[in-house]
Amino acid sequence: MGYYVKVEKGVNIYVEDINPASTKTILFVHGWPANHQMFEYQFNHLPAMGYRCIGIDIRGFGKSNRPWDGYSYDRLADDIRIIIDTLGLENITLAGHSMGGAISIRYMARHSGHQVAKLALIGAAAPIFTQRPDFPYGKTIEEVNNLIESTYADRPKMLSDFGDIFFARYLTKSFIEWFHGLGLIASGNATAKCLVSLRDEDLRNDLPHIQVPTAIMHGKQDKVCPFVLGELMHQSIQNSILIPFEYSGHGLFYCEKDKFNQELARFIG
C-alpha cells in the first residue's frame, strides 16, 4: 500500500506500507542516492515473518516531492518525526542505511528517540562521513567535492562509478542496471545537496543520546563507509551490538541478504 504524508507545505513524502496489520513495525530509511526500493529483498521476506515494513522516499528521492532546500540532517530527521506521528507509530524499530543511518542517529538525538524502541544502523555514514584533523577515517572532503562536481557535470556516470564500489560480490548486469536506475530517479539537486550534508555533518555528539538497544550492521569490505566507522559507533553507543558481515561491502542488505534478514529479525524479536 502506497500513500503520501505531508511534512511541510509543498513537500509530500512517499510511503510504502507493507503488512500494516502487524504490530511489529520496522521503518526503513534508505541511503544516498537511492530510494525505498533498495530494500526490496527485505520487503519480500520480512512481512512473511510477521513484520510491518514501512519504506519511505526521503525528500528529493524516489516518488517524494523535490523541494529546492531542506536536505540537512535536522530537516530530514524532522520529516521522520512527522511521518511517525502522522501514521501513529509506536515502539518501532528504526532502520537506516548509510545516510539513512545518519538521519536516524540525528532523529534519536533531536527527537529523544520518540516512539523508537530499537535502532538498526546499516552501513551507517557515521560518526562522520568525511575525514577531519581529529578524525582520520572515511572519505576525504576532496573525494566528496568531486562527487558533487560530477553530479552537476554527468550524474549518470557518477552514479555508475559509485555503484562499482557499492557491492562486494558478483552482480548480474540486470541487477546493476536496476540499482543504477534507483539513483537516476532522484532529483539532481537533492543528490548534490545531500552530498553536502554527508560532507559537512558531524554526529559524534549525537551518539551518546541513543538510549535504546542498537544493532550496528556493517560490511567488512565496505568501501563507502569503512568498517572502522561501525567499530567507532559501537564504542560510543551504549547498549549496542556490532554485527560484522564478512562478505559484504556497503550493500550488505543484498550481498548477504539472507543473513541480513535473519539478523534483523533476531535483533527485533
Side-chain angles (χ1 to χ4, degrees):
M1 175 169 67
Y3 48 82
Y4 285 89
V5 171
K6 181 179 179 180
V7 294
E8 64 175 329
K9 184 178 180 180
V11 183
N12 297 296
I13 300 297
Y14 182 75
V15 176
E16 185 81 16
D17 196 346
I18 305 167
N19 195 21
S22 173
T23 57
K24 294 193 291 185
T25 301
I26 313 170
L27 177 60
F28 289 88
V29 187
H30 67 83
W32 178 94
N35 56 57
H36 81 280
Q37 293 180 19
M38 70 184 294
F39 296 115
E40 175 177 333
Y41 297 91
Q42 284 63 60
F43 298 159
N44 285 348
H45 298 287
L46 291 171
M49 300 168 68
Y51 297 98
R52 178 185 183 184
C53 293
I54 300 176
I56 65 169
D57 291 342
I58 67 173
R59 59 172 63 205
F61 295 82
K63 297 180 181 179
S64 292
N65 289 153
R66 306 174 172 202
W68 184 249
D69 293 309
Y71 300 100
S72 69
Y73 287 178
D74 282 355
R75 178 63 251 189
L76 295 168
D78 292 349
D79 289 351
I80 301 294
R81 172 64 185 261
I82 294 168
I83 290 166
I84 287 173
D85 287 347
T86 301
L87 300 184
L89 304 180
E90 298 178 344
N91 299 316
I92 70 168
T93 296
L94 184 60
H97 173 259
S98 192
M99 182 176 174
I103 296 165
S104 299
I105 291 169
R106 177 57 51 83
Y107 175 86
M108 298 301 292
R110 184 170 170 85
H111 295 284
S112 302
H114 175 69
Q115 296 297 357
V116 175
K118 293 186 177 182
L119 177 67
L121 300 174
I122 308 156
I128 317 177
F129 186 63
T130 52
Q131 297 175 19
R132 303 285 195 278
D134 62 343
F135 191 85
Y137 314 105
K139 297 291 184 187
T140 65
I141 288 175
E142 291 73 23
E143 285 176 314
V144 181
N145 285 340
N146 287 337
L147 284 173
I148 294 170
E149 292 172 9
S150 298
T151 298
Y152 287 124
D154 189 343
R155 187 165 64 97
K157 183 179 187 304
M158 182 279 294
L159 291 170
S160 179
D161 292 345
F162 182 73
D164 288 344
I165 65 168
F166 202 92
F167 298 98
R169 55 166 287 186
Y170 170 76
L171 302 169
T172 63
K173 182 173 182 288
S174 298
F175 183 90
I176 293 169
E177 290 173 349
W178 170 78
F179 190 76
H180 184 225
L182 300 185
L184 286 173
I185 295 170
S187 153
N189 170 62
T191 301
K193 287 187 173 175
C194 282
L195 280 169
V196 172
S197 294
L198 280 163
R199 181 192 67 194
D200 295 346
E201 297 264 13
D202 185 340
L203 293 160
R204 285 178 289 186
N205 291 332
D206 296 63
L207 296 178
H209 293 278
I210 298 173
Q211 303 295 324
V212 301
T214 301
I216 300 164
M217 308 166 81
H218 219 101
K220 293 291 290 288
Q221 302 178 50
D222 197 327
K223 296 179 181 178
V224 179
C225 296
F227 186 73
V228 65
L229 298 187
E231 296 175 318
L232 292 169
M233 285 185 281
H234 180 42
Q235 293 170 14
S236 298
I237 301 174
Q238 294 182 0
N239 199 18
S240 67
I241 56 172
L242 176 60
I243 305 172
F245 285 71
E246 297 286 340
Y247 309 107
S248 291
H250 199 48
L252 62 160
F253 55 89
Y254 185 75
C255 289
E256 296 179 77
K257 60 179 179 289
D258 292 339
K259 175 183 176 179
F260 178 86
N261 292 342
Q262 291 166 5
E263 291 286 1
L264 184 58
R266 181 180 295 115
F267 169 66
I268 298 169

